[in-house]
């Protein structure tokens, strides 16, 4: 097993500044959760989101997301492929992770967020995702305001558990990312980190799940659900329709592309016979066949 990558102070500060600058560029204050608005951010950046469930043989997906680029009419197009066979909170984190690669221009690749951070580039992307979604300055402020101290070593497990569940439901990070954030700012001890990190939060009978459902059943259930969604944004669907209406793609291509997102021309008022096209190229994209893996 490769050793765990530990970022140094300079690297962490560079990532913190990058996340702060990008939030400011997007008009998002540090105390405001991004949560489900991550999709809106992609639209602002002209990144096309492709959602598709890719299943693996084990319990966890083989990958969480992928980023790739292509060129059309001398214009570079950016795509993020999101594996919706993963839990929704990890989908949100995976998109933020890919935004690091987008902002730093590190090229096409596949992200496997279940892996240990034993790759420097991936460790940086994971730290950026956490800082972008939940800025350190906001977390520290919340802790000070609620507990009147920056250290939570003496806080009871039950109180700390409720606190982390509330953070998760407000900021939409995976539970273990919340635990890691608290450890990164030295708010909790190593023993607390190990104790809370090992909790199986996907077990709906666990204390964590019961608290989450009691606090905010709708959000907690959404975060802990594998959506298995097939689709892209309404904006990108509109582009596909207009390309057809302008004669840039024919009926077969129009039907084929919509079929990728589990839609038909009839959904938009067009009566077209759908041809039986091979979707292997689309599957290859999500399986990483055309990408260089880090």
């Amino acid at each position: 097993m490769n050793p765990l990558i530990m970022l140094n102070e300079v690297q962490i500060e560079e990532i913190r500044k990058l996340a702060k600058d990008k939030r400011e560029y997007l008009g998002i204050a540090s105390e405001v959760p991004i949560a489900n608005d991550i999709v809106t951010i992609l639209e602002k950046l002209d990144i096309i989101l492709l959602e598709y469930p890719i299943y693996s043989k084990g319990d966890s997906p083989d990958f969480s997301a992928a980023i790739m680029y292509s060129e059309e009419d001398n214009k570079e197009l950016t795509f993020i492929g999101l594996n919706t066979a993963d839990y929704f909170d990890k989908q949100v984190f995976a998109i933020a992770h890919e935004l690091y690669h987008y902002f730093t221009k590190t090229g096409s690749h596949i992200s496997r967020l279940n892996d240990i951070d034993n790759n420097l580039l991936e460790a940086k992307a994971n730290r950026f995702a956490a800082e972008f979604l939940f800025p350190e300055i906001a977390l520290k402020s919340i802790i000070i305001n609620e507990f009147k101290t920056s250290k939570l070593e003496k806080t009871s497990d039950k109180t700390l558990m409720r606190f982390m569940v509330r953070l998760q439901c407000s900021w939409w990070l995976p539970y273990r990312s919340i635990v890691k954030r608290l450890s990164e700012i030295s708010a909790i001890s190593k023993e607390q980190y190990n104790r809370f990190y090992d909790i199986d939060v996907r077990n709906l009978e666990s204390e964590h799940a019961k608290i989450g459902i009691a606090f905010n059943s709708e959000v907690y259930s959404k975060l802990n659900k594998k959506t298995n969604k097939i689709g892209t944004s309404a904006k990108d669907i509109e582009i596909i329709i207009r390309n057809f209406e302008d004669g840039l793609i024919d009926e077969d291509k129009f039907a084929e592309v919509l079929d990728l997102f589990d839609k038909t021309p009839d959904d938009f008022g067009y009566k077209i016979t759908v041809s039986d096209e091979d979707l292997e190229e689309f599957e290859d994209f999500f399986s990483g066949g055309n990408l260089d893996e880090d």
Side-chain angles (χ1 to χ4, degrees):
M1 179 182 294
N2 295 327
L4 182 68
I5 293 291
M6 300 296 293
L7 301 179
N8 61 42
E9 291 181 352
V10 174
Q11 292 168 329
I12 291 172
E13 182 57 31
E14 289 175 347
I15 292 169
R16 188 182 296 121
K17 185 178 185 303
L18 177 64
K20 178 177 181 291
D21 290 346
K22 295 308 177 183
R23 285 182 69 105
E24 289 179 352
Y25 168 75
L26 293 164
I28 308 170
S30 62
E31 67 273 13
V32 177
I34 290 175
N36 202 38
D37 286 340
I38 192 78
V39 175
T40 304
I41 288 173
L42 297 185
E43 292 186 1
K44 287 183 179 179
L45 297 172
D46 288 327
I47 298 174
I48 300 170
L49 177 65
L50 306 175
E51 300 169 291
Y52 205 82
I54 301 296
Y55 306 99
S56 60
K57 294 180 180 179
D59 294 333
S60 300
D62 288 334
F63 79 98
S64 294
I67 188 168
M68 68 173 293
Y69 304 86
S70 68
E71 189 171 307
E72 182 178 312
D73 297 329
N74 296 320
K75 178 183 178 182
E76 185 177 74
L77 301 177
T78 305
F79 300 86
I80 288 181
L82 181 65
N83 189 358
T84 57
D86 210 345
Y87 293 100
F88 187 72
D89 55 5
K90 295 182 69 177
Q91 292 179 35
V92 174
F93 193 91
I95 292 174
H97 176 106
E98 293 307 323
L99 283 176
Y100 174 81
H101 295 291
Y102 171 78
F103 289 137
T104 57
K105 304 185 186 305
T106 47
S108 302
H109 84 297
I110 298 174
S111 296
R112 293 183 169 88
L113 299 182
N114 281 330
D115 292 345
I116 295 176
D117 295 2
N118 52 25
N119 175 292
L120 179 59
L121 184 60
E122 294 301 276
K124 288 181 176 181
N126 279 348
R127 184 62 181 255
F128 171 84
E131 184 68 29
F132 184 71
L133 293 172
F134 197 171
E136 180 177 317
I137 187 173
L139 177 56
K140 286 183 174 180
S141 176
I142 291 170
I143 293 172
I144 290 290
N145 288 336
E146 179 158 343
F147 296 97
K148 312 306 177 187
T149 178
S150 63
K151 303 296 183 181
L152 304 176
E153 290 97 333
K154 296 181 179 179
T155 305
S156 72
D157 280 4
K158 287 187 178 297
T159 299
L160 195 52
M161 172 67 75
R162 293 194 305 273
F163 178 61
M164 288 190 287
V165 172
R166 285 188 286 117
L167 290 180
Q168 185 184 11
C169 289
S170 297
W171 292 84
W172 289 39
L173 268 73
Y175 164 77
R176 286 181 173 174
S177 295
I178 294 290
V179 177
K180 192 171 183 180
R181 291 299 278 150
L182 292 173
S183 176
E184 287 169 349
I185 65 172
S186 301
I188 59 176
S189 67
K190 182 178 180 180
E191 290 73 20
Q192 286 173 308
Y193 170 82
N194 292 333
R195 193 159 64 245
F196 284 103
Y197 193 86
D198 287 341
I199 293 174
D200 180 11
V201 297
R202 307 304 181 184
N203 177 8
L204 296 182
E205 298 301 318
S206 68
E207 180 181 1
H208 180 280
K210 291 178 180 178
I211 293 172
I213 292 171
F215 272 143
N216 194 325
S217 176
E218 181 179 356
V219 170
Y220 187 85
S221 298
K222 182 180 181 68
L223 294 176
N224 287 281
K225 181 180 179 181
K226 297 180 179 181
T227 62
N228 294 308
K229 182 180 178 182
I230 299 174
T232 188
S233 72
K235 177 182 176 182
D236 292 316
I237 290 291
E238 178 63 20
I239 291 173
I240 295 168
I241 297 171
R242 292 191 183 186
N243 284 342
F244 168 68
E245 292 174 337
D246 294 341
L248 300 178
I249 58 176
D250 59 23
E251 290 185 353
D252 284 347
K253 190 66 176 178
F254 180 46
E256 175 188 339
V257 174
L258 288 179
D259 188 50
L260 294 175
F261 306 110
D262 204 25
K263 301 183 186 303
T264 69
D266 186 60
D267 294 334
F268 304 97
Y270 289 98
K271 301 292 183 181
I272 297 173
T273 302
V274 179
S275 60
D276 185 15
E277 298 291 344
D278 187 3
L279 302 182
E280 287 185 0
E281 183 177 349
F282 187 72
E283 292 279 1
D284 283 346
F285 164 67
F286 281 103
S287 63
N290 298 320
L291 297 175
D292 295 326
E293 180 183 347
D294 287 324

